[in-house]
């Protein structure tokens, strides 16, 4: 059974930093795209950043210059380094990954359970 487990969320003051981690575990043959999404109360879930298996990254305009996504493929882990945090960054942050858990090349999409990030003003 594949699981994505996030960690690193919490309460931080505006201007502060946090680092989120997400590790994929279980019977995994290959991890392709990994991404971070967030969902604030009353809002739709939005993609914050993604990173391909080759290391190409993309971050949303709303966090560009403040957030950085990276991954350690040897550990099936993706990170989100968040800096200069603002109250509007408050949300539940979710890890997402496309991975092959059958060994036949087909990718399936998985979500983590989410981790709360709260930025106080």
């Amino acid at each position: 059974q594949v699981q994505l487990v996030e960690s690193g969320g919490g309460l931080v003051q505006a201007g502060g930093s946090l680092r989120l981690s997400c590790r994929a575990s279980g019977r995994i043959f290959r991890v392709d795209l990994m991404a971070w999404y967030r969902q604030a109360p009353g809002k739709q879930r939005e993609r914050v950043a993604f990173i391909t298996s080759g290391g190409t990254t993309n971050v949303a305009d709303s966090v560009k210059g403040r957030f950085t996504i990276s991954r350690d493929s040897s550990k099936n882990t993706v990170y989100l380094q968040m800096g200069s945090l603002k109250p509007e960054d408050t949300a539940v942050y979710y890890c997402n990954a496309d991975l092959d858990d059958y060994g036949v090349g087909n990718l399936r999409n998985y979500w983590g359970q989410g981790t709360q990030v709260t930025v106080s003003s």
Side-chain angles (χ1 to χ4, degrees):
Q1 186 76 10
V2 172
Q3 282 189 312
L4 300 183
V5 180
E6 301 105 333
S7 62
L11 174 64
V12 64
Q13 287 189 330
S17 299
L18 279 176
R19 188 194 195 207
L20 305 183
S21 300
C22 170
R23 183 172 182 266
S25 63
R27 190 168 179 259
I28 298 171
F29 291 86
R30 184 173 70 90
V31 182
D32 194 62
L33 192 78
M34 302 188 84
W36 288 97
Y37 287 73
R38 69 184 181 185
Q39 188 166 20
K43 294 189 176 181
Q44 287 190 330
R45 190 173 296 189
E46 62 172 349
R47 189 169 65 186
V48 176
F50 70 80
I51 183 167
T52 69
S53 58
T56 300
T57 63
N58 180 275
V59 296
D61 287 343
S62 58
V63 303
K64 197 164 289 184
R66 302 189 296 119
F67 291 13
T68 302
I69 188 170
S70 61
R71 67 191 284 172
D72 184 339
S73 294
S74 68
K75 298 179 180 178
N76 290 335
T77 299
V78 63
Y79 306 97
L80 187 68
Q81 180 67 49
M82 306 185 294
S84 302
L85 283 161
K86 305 175 182 180
E88 51 263 43
D89 294 317
T90 295
V92 178
Y93 284 71
Y94 296 91
C95 176
N96 181 270
D98 292 328
L99 55 89
D100 177 5
D101 57 346
Y102 274 88
V104 294
N106 295 328
L107 298 177
R108 298 208 298 176
N109 188 259
Y110 286 87
W111 289 93
Q113 82 286 354
T115 185
Q116 177 70 46
V117 172
T118 303
V119 184
S120 63
S121 57

